[in-house]
Amino acid sequence: MRKMPDAKAPIGVIDAGLGGYTVVKELQKILPKEDIIFFGDGKNQPYGNRTEEDILHLTHQCLDFLKERKVKAVAIACNTISTLIDKYQPDYDFRIFSIVQAGSNDVVALGLKEVGVLSTVFTAKTGCYARLIHEKAPNIAVYAQGCPKLARIIEDGGFDQQRINTELTETLGQLAAAHPTLDSLILGCTHYPMVSENIQALYPQFTRLINPAATQAQAIADYLKAENALNVDGEGSFRVYTTSDCEFYRSMTKHVGLKTPICVELVPAPTPL
Ligand code: DGL
């Protein structure tokens, strides 16, 4: 049974790493008074090369962490985890928001004829973007392209330009070659907005890069407003919990342009199967 969200409670944000910071940025922009708890499982990243059973097992542990902290709603700021939302939402009494749903809504709202989706291998294999887009607009052609290494390269830090560009060439290069007139691309992994300049420089044919983060943040704002659960006089605090490198996670809050977190804490990693 869904519980009424408590206005004073924090919003939880989960990612299999720090890509979810791109969603925190949008939440902080439109909901500056909300307290945000970020959980990034950098130790087990990439989730996108794991099995469905393993991803679900890890996700339950991430969500249990936020449940203990009494969140009023959760943004799954990870496309890979979002593809499985129907399998874990019933286990929790707070509302959970999928970034794949947000990205699919963006594509439908733009009225595109065709769109590419650059994502992890798991997200591509599920066909989740095509399924959700076709529920509302069956005629939009959706071309999925998985990247086995890109999220991990970003998570490793240092923004190694050669590794990033090689991975993009080997993956996005295939999509671009197969569809030379395709101009719209969903950044279907929350790490990828961090390398959008590389994408634009290598493949200028993609004149429209769709980052679903703003739409996901807006969906949460709309929900809280409808439930009368917006925190109107909160401090807008930001707490980061990571299973990997605290200093890196702290420095990336600056790099992405987030509020200064009141803590960046190392916590035990969820155990994989
Ligand atoms: N940011 C995650 C996503 O949006 C990365 C997934 C991974 O760990 O492979 O899919």
Side-chain angles (χ1 to χ4, degrees), residues 33-45:
K33 301 203 162 157
E34 296 288 344
D35 297 320
I36 293 177
I37 296 185
F38 179 84
F39 183 86
D41 186 12
K43 174 145 192 274
N44 289 309
Q45 204 260 1

Side-chain angles (χ1 to χ4, degrees), residues 63-270:
L63 284 165
D64 289 348
F65 179 91
L66 293 177
K67 183 180 169 186
E68 277 168 29
R69 279 149 189 87
K70 309 219 176 321
V71 291
K72 60 182 170 186
V74 168
I76 303 290
C78 174
N79 290 258
T80 310
I81 299 176
S82 291
T83 63
L84 301 171
I85 188 166
D86 296 339
K87 306 223 162 145
Y88 50 78
Q89 171 70 86
D91 301 332
Y92 296 92
D93 60 7
F94 44 82
R95 177 84 189 268
I96 301 174
F97 289 82
S98 152
I99 192 153
V100 176
Q101 184 66 63
S104 303
N105 293 350
D106 282 343
V107 172
V108 174
L110 284 164
L112 303 175
K113 283 207 181 75
E114 55 177 7
V115 69
V117 185
L118 192 68
S119 72
T120 65
V121 172
F122 187 86
T123 299
K125 269 201 301 211
T126 63
C128 189
Y129 266 103
R131 181 169 54 79
L132 293 177
I133 290 168
H134 291 157
E135 277 175 10
K136 291 181 188 144
N139 294 329
I140 301 177
V142 182
Y143 311 115
Q145 176 66 54
C147 298
K149 299 189 208 130
L150 190 54
R152 185 68 234 178
I153 293 169
I154 296 165
E155 188 78 21
D156 283 344
F159 288 84
D160 183 329
Q161 296 300 302
Q162 200 183 332
R163 284 179 78 204
I164 292 167
N165 290 340
T166 302
E167 175 70 354
L168 282 171
T169 311
E170 286 171 4
T171 56
L172 187 54
Q174 287 182 37
L175 187 74
H179 305 282
T181 57
L182 184 65
D183 62 6
S184 300
L185 183 71
I186 302 176
L187 302 176
C189 167
T190 50
H191 285 71
Y192 300 172
M194 297 182 188
V195 294
S196 55
E197 283 173 15
N198 297 67
I199 294 172
Q200 273 159 341
L202 283 174
Y203 299 102
Q205 82 176 64
F206 296 109
T207 50
R208 183 187 284 116
L209 297 183
I210 301 165
N211 174 3
T215 299
Q216 187 185 31
Q218 191 58 51
I220 294 171
D222 293 346
Y223 163 72
L224 294 176
K225 188 162 181 229
E227 295 287 326
N228 215 5
L230 282 170
N231 194 348
V232 285
D233 51 10
E235 283 170 17
S237 68
F238 176 37
R239 289 181 167 78
V240 175
Y241 298 94
T242 173
T243 60
S244 55
D245 182 344
C246 288
E247 271 330 296
F248 179 49
Y249 272 63
R250 186 185 295 283
S251 70
M252 284 300 287
T253 61
K254 284 202 199 100
H255 181 89
V256 176
L258 306 182
K259 288 183 187 172
T260 304
I262 56 176
C263 73
V264 180
E265 219 176 292
L266 182 66
V267 289

